[in-house]
């Protein structure tokens, strides 16, 4: 591509006349950066701006007074380095090539010459900077995942069916948009024998890089399939990647992987995801921790090595930010409504890819994360709360009305020794640290322990003691843990809210003066200590509800206002009403309607 053609793709320069474009193009300088290389560093003179023609550049501004570091990514036609050019001050950010990138460097003197002839160029630049400030300066993890265009699939050792995994990975990703999968044979077929083995410094590199850049313009996604050897092609795959996916058998020793050692030493800045293949005879759960201790990864995904095509779908959706994430709130028997949502999703063929919850939502979410369908979840809830009542071991001790032992034994019989980090999908639940007044996110450890803790309503069930602190029901601080799922950035978030319309109003016969509830004439039968305690642990303010409606992709405020928090016998009615509500709301959501 010629410099003038490159300038025309930029909103900053496309309005210039031909003469100015030619003059600026003649003054601009082409520069190539390999993935992981810096265009400029903090503190350097702001003597130029850079127009991204191919590749991707990340600009990282240091954290300020406890705020997170600001991250902005620039792709085709976007510029970086403008702030220092305008202010004349040293640079306050680093600019890093996320993959092999080609840019036009436009010096300060060249830009000022254009501005003198076309003041509108400076106006366009100022507008661009203001637009960036108006939007979030910190790129949300979900946006960063979804903006990824290039993926490198890298086998960590021999014995991995990289062709089969690459094919299955690409088929799922191609369901979202156009895609090209690249391996050495495809490159050699297009450019001639040995083209894939061309090094970055070699004379033929520009030809290979140019061809790859043209493919990036033609396709939404490129999947680079590495060889597993430390050859020129594998190195190029990793440098070109917006996200690197390392594939390994879970029972292999990571210390023996030369590829892994090189990835560590290369200090590449693209996020790394770990795809661990489980075998039927895999009895070494600690191996997954070994891999993560050797390689810094953003997330790990476990799939069945015998069924890679079926198991890879969820992993690909999580990696690409296309996962369906579900958050389930707390609310006692009202939480049965979550089953209605699960059933409505199943009817549409929509698989839950990540789940989180609080209190009853933690219980239902834990069952979903174990791989159970809505029928099994419903059967388990019926057995636990209706057929048998595992909450009736009353103790009236100094700390709670029940001992909680029966319910914890039931949780152990359901979940066994499963650990959260070993589940087939991302899962978390939340509790409240009563000692410190903080919400606690549980995303590792024994599932039964933390689900039980998340359901421990203060005063009704005993707290969990952990590292000297008292942990109780998560709903005490956040009955709907949306923020935790949102921050994970894995995909659209659906929320099932069952906390509304609590009947806690009392008619006063003696006027409006304050009086103790115990002294009110004819104290209402619908109120008791259980309901008051439970409502205290699942309270959602109107402000929180409005904020939830604004941020979540879909919030289902389930029709559970007529159901009490201990109406266990109404399980089928609650599920039925919730299913039809979810069915309607999912139709509206799919059609672009609003949440409700």
């Amino acid at each position: 591509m010629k410099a003038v053609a490159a300038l025309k793709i930029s909103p900053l320069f496309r309005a210039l006349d031909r003469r100015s474009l030619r003059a600026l193009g003649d003054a601009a300088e082409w520069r190539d950066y390999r993935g992981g290389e810096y265009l400029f560093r903090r503190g350097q003179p702001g003597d130029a701006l850079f127009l991204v023609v191919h590749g991707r550049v990340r600009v990282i501004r240091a954290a300020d007074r406890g705020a997170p570091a600001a991250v902005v990514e620039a792709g085709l036609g976007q510029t970086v380095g403008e702030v220092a050019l305008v202010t004349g001050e040293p640079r306050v950010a680093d600019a890093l090539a996320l993959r092999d990138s080609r840019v036009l460097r436009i010096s300060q003197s060249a830009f000022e010459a254009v501005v003198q002839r076309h003041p509108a160029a400076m106006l366009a630049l100022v507008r661009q900077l203001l637009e960036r400030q108006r939007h979030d300066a910190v790129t949300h993890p979900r946006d960063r995942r979804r903006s990824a265009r290039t993926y490198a699939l890298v086998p960590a050792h021999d014995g991995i069916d990289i062709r089969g995994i690459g094919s299955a990975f690409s088929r799922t990703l191609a369901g979202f948009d156009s895609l090209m999968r690249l391996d050495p044979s495809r490159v050699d077929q297009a450019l001639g024998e040995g083209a894939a083995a061309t090094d970055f410094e070699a004379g033929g590199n520009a030809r290979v890089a140019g061809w790859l850049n043209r493919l990036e313009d033609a396709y939404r996604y490129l999947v680079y399939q590495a060889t597993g050897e430390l050859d020129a092609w594998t190195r190029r795959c990793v440098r070109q990647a917006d996200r690197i996916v390392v594939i390994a058998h879970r029972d292999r020793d990571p210390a023996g992987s030369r590829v892994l050692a090189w990835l560590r030493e290369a200090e590449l800045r693209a996020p790394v995801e770990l795809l661990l293949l489980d075998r039927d005879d895999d009895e070494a759960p600690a191996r997954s921790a070994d891999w993560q201790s050797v390689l810094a990864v953003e997330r790990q995904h476990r799939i069945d090595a015998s069924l890679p095509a079926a198991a890879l779908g969820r992993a690909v959706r999580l990696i690409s930010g296309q996962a369906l994430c579900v958050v389930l709130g707390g609310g006692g028997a009202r939480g049965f409504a979550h089953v209605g949502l699960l059933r409505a999703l199943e009817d549409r063929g929509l698989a839950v890819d990540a789940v989180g919850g609080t209190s009853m939502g933690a219980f239902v979410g834990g069952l979903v994360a174990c791989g159970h369908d809505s029928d099994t979840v419903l059967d388990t809830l019926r057995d636990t709360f209706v057929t048998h009542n595992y909450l009736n071991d009353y103790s009236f001790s100094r700390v709670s009305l029940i001992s909680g032992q029966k319910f914890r034994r039931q949780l152990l019989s359901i979940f066994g020794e499963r650990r959260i980090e070993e589940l087939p999908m991302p899962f978390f639940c939340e509790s409240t640290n009563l000692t410190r007044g903080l919400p606690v996110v549980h995303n590792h450890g024994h599932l039964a322990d933390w689900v039980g803790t998340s359901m421990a309503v203060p005063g009704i069930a005993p707290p969990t003691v952990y590292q000297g602190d008292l942990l109780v029901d998560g709903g005490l601080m956040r009955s709907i843990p949306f923020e935790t799922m949102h921050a994970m950035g894995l995909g659209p978030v659906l929320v099932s809210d069952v906390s509304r319309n609590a009947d806690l109003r009392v008619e006063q016969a003696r006027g409006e003066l304050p009086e103790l509830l115990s002294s009110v004439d004819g104290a209402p039968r619908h109120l008791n200590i259980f309901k008051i305690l439970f409502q205290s642990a699942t309270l959602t303010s109107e402000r929180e509800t409005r904020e939830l409606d604004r941020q979540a992709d879909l919030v289902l405020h389930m029709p559970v206002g007529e159901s009490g928090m201990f109406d266990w016998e109404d399980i089928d009615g609650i599920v039925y009403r919730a299913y039809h509500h979810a069915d309607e709301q999912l139709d509206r959501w799919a059609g672009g309607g609003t949440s409700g």
Side-chain angles (χ1 to χ4, degrees), residues 427-475:
F427 168 80
F428 71 88
C429 61
E430 289 195 8
S431 67
T432 298
N433 187 317
L434 204 58
T435 304
R436 302 175 188 272
L438 297 170
V440 181
V441 178
H442 305 288
N443 53 20
H444 65 280
H446 285 101
L447 181 59
D449 287 343
W450 296 128
V451 167
T453 300
S454 183
M455 301 179 73
V457 177
I460 294 179
T464 295
V465 181
Y466 181 66
Q467 296 181 345
D469 291 347
L470 299 183
L471 306 185
V472 297
D473 192 297

Side-chain angles (χ1 to χ4, degrees), residues 54 58 88 114 126 147 150 158 194 221 235 349 361 385 410 451 464 534 553 562 566:
H54 292 297
R58 176 175 293 170
V114 169
V126 172
S147 68
T150 56
D158 58 8
Y221 299 114
R235 294 174 190 269
F385 297 101
Q410 170 67 353
V451 167
T464 295
F534 211 101
D553 293 88
E562 300 303 316
F566 299 97

Side-chain angles (χ1 to χ4, degrees), residues 270-281:
V272 179
E273 312 249 357
L274 179 61
L275 198 63
L276 285 176
L277 308 179
D278 276 329
R279 299 181 180 181
D280 292 338
D281 59 351

Side-chain angles (χ1 to χ4, degrees), residues 213-442:
N213 287 329
R214 289 192 294 275
L215 287 180
E216 189 170 328
D217 292 339
Y219 294 93
R220 173 62 176 84
Y221 299 114
L222 294 183
V223 175
Y224 287 85
Q225 187 175 297
T227 64
E229 299 294 329
L230 286 181
D231 52 22
W233 173 248
T234 293
R235 294 174 190 269
R236 185 183 295 275
C237 290
V238 171
R239 290 199 314 268
Q240 288 292 111
D242 290 333
R243 302 194 84 80
I244 301 167
V245 183
V246 175
I247 307 160
H249 283 294
R250 184 164 166 258
D251 59 352
R252 290 286 293 266
D253 184 0
S257 172
R258 292 176 60 237
V259 171
L260 214 62
W262 175 73
L263 284 173
R264 275 199 321 274
E265 295 168 2
E267 296 184 350
L268 298 165
R269 298 308 179 97
V272 179
E273 312 249 357
L274 179 61
L275 198 63
L276 285 176
L277 308 179
D278 276 329
R279 299 181 180 181
D280 292 338
D281 59 351
D282 189 351
E283 297 179 356
R287 286 297 183 193
S288 59
D290 291 344
W291 280 98
Q292 285 195 285
S293 67
V294 171
L295 181 66
V297 300
E298 189 168 289
R299 183 167 295 278
Q300 77 167 33
H301 312 267
R302 292 179 54 196
I303 67 171
D304 185 346
S306 63
L307 298 169
L312 260 174
R314 172 175 291 132
V316 173
R317 292 190 294 271
L318 290 166
I319 290 169
S320 63
Q322 309 280 357
L324 179 61
C325 308
V326 174
V327 176
L328 309 175
R334 296 177 178 184
F336 295 155
H338 300 321
V339 181
L341 171 59
L342 299 177
R343 187 169 287 172
L345 290 172
E346 289 172 359
D347 285 352
R348 286 164 170 74
L350 297 175
V352 176
D353 295 313
V355 62
T358 291
S359 200
M360 183 64 82
F363 190 14
V364 175
L367 293 168
V368 172
C370 289
H372 298 309
D373 61 16
S374 62
D375 289 339
T376 304
V377 172
L378 181 58
D379 290 342
T380 304
L381 293 174
R382 190 187 306 278
D383 178 69
T384 302
F385 297 101
V386 183
T387 305
H388 304 95
N389 184 358
Y390 291 100
L391 298 175
N392 64 357
D393 53 346
Y394 299 106
S395 68
F396 295 99
S397 71
R398 290 187 299 172
V399 296
S400 63
L401 295 174
I402 66 173
S403 72
Q405 295 299 323
K406 284 178 63 175
F407 187 67
R408 286 301 179 99
R409 286 195 294 270
Q410 170 67 353
L411 291 179
L412 280 171
S413 71
I414 293 169
F415 297 123
E417 295 298 318
R418 287 188 181 92
R419 297 183 63 84
I420 294 176
E421 63 269 28
E422 303 290 329
L423 295 172
M425 72 174 70
F427 168 80
F428 71 88
C429 61
E430 289 195 8
S431 67
T432 298
N433 187 317
L434 204 58
T435 304
R436 302 175 188 272
L438 297 170
V440 181
V441 178
H442 305 288

Side-chain angles (χ1 to χ4, degrees), residues 11-271:
L12 196 59
F13 302 114
R14 64 170 59 134
L16 299 180
D17 59 39
R18 292 183 183 179
R19 183 178 174 184
S20 297
L21 281 172
R22 282 198 302 271
L24 189 58
D26 291 341
E29 177 187 358
W30 284 107
R31 289 200 176 180
D32 294 306
Y33 295 90
R34 66 174 75 201
E37 237 183 316
Y38 285 95
L39 282 69
F40 55 78
R41 301 301 302 268
R42 192 177 299 115
Q44 291 179 344
D47 55 359
L49 64 79
F50 298 82
L51 170 64
V52 181
V53 180
H54 292 297
R56 197 161 190 83
V57 175
R58 176 175 293 170
V59 179
I60 308 165
R61 182 169 181 169
D64 182 29
R65 296 182 181 178
V71 179
V72 175
E73 292 185 3
L76 175 66
Q78 295 177 307
T79 55
V80 298
E82 317 95 323
V83 175
L85 190 73
V86 172
T87 64
E89 298 175 350
R91 298 197 185 277
V92 296
D94 296 329
L96 175 80
L98 289 179
R99 55 181 181 270
D100 288 358
S101 300
R102 188 156 222 223
V103 303
L104 267 179
R105 182 184 183 276
I106 300 172
S107 68
Q108 187 174 31
S109 58
F111 182 74
E112 288 176 351
V114 169
V115 169
Q116 289 176 4
R117 183 178 176 85
H118 289 277
M122 176 61 78
L123 181 61
L125 179 59
V126 172
R127 283 174 176 166
Q128 178 174 293
L129 295 176
L130 289 174
E131 186 68 19
R132 285 184 182 173
Q133 288 182 349
R134 189 159 46 239
H135 290 59
D136 256 332
V138 180
T139 305
H140 188 267
R142 175 178 166 186
D143 297 333
R144 203 172 301 154
R145 282 179 178 273
R146 297 194 72 165
S147 68
R149 297 173 60 96
T150 56
Y151 298 83
L153 306 184
V154 183
H157 51 71
D158 58 8
I160 290 176
D161 179 17
I162 186 61
R163 182 178 294 275
I165 291 174
S167 176
F169 187 101
S170 299
R171 278 197 303 274
T172 299
L173 196 57
F176 300 112
D177 213 325
S178 60
L179 177 143
M180 170 71 77
R181 178 164 58 98
L182 298 166
D183 60 12
S185 62
R186 181 160 289 181
V187 178
D188 289 350
Q189 183 180 5
L191 300 178
E193 189 68 28
T198 304
D199 268 318
F200 183 83
E201 296 84 0
N205 179 66
R207 181 166 174 259
V208 177
W211 180 71
L212 294 175
N213 287 329
R214 289 192 294 275
L215 287 180
E216 189 170 328
D217 292 339
Y219 294 93
R220 173 62 176 84
Y221 299 114
L222 294 183
V223 175
Y224 287 85
Q225 187 175 297
T227 64
E229 299 294 329
L230 286 181
D231 52 22
W233 173 248
T234 293
R235 294 174 190 269
R236 185 183 295 275
C237 290
V238 171
R239 290 199 314 268
Q240 288 292 111
D242 290 333
R243 302 194 84 80
I244 301 167
V245 183
V246 175
I247 307 160
H249 283 294
R250 184 164 166 258
D251 59 352
R252 290 286 293 266
D253 184 0
S257 172
R258 292 176 60 237
V259 171
L260 214 62
W262 175 73
L263 284 173
R264 275 199 321 274
E265 295 168 2
E267 296 184 350
L268 298 165
R269 298 308 179 97

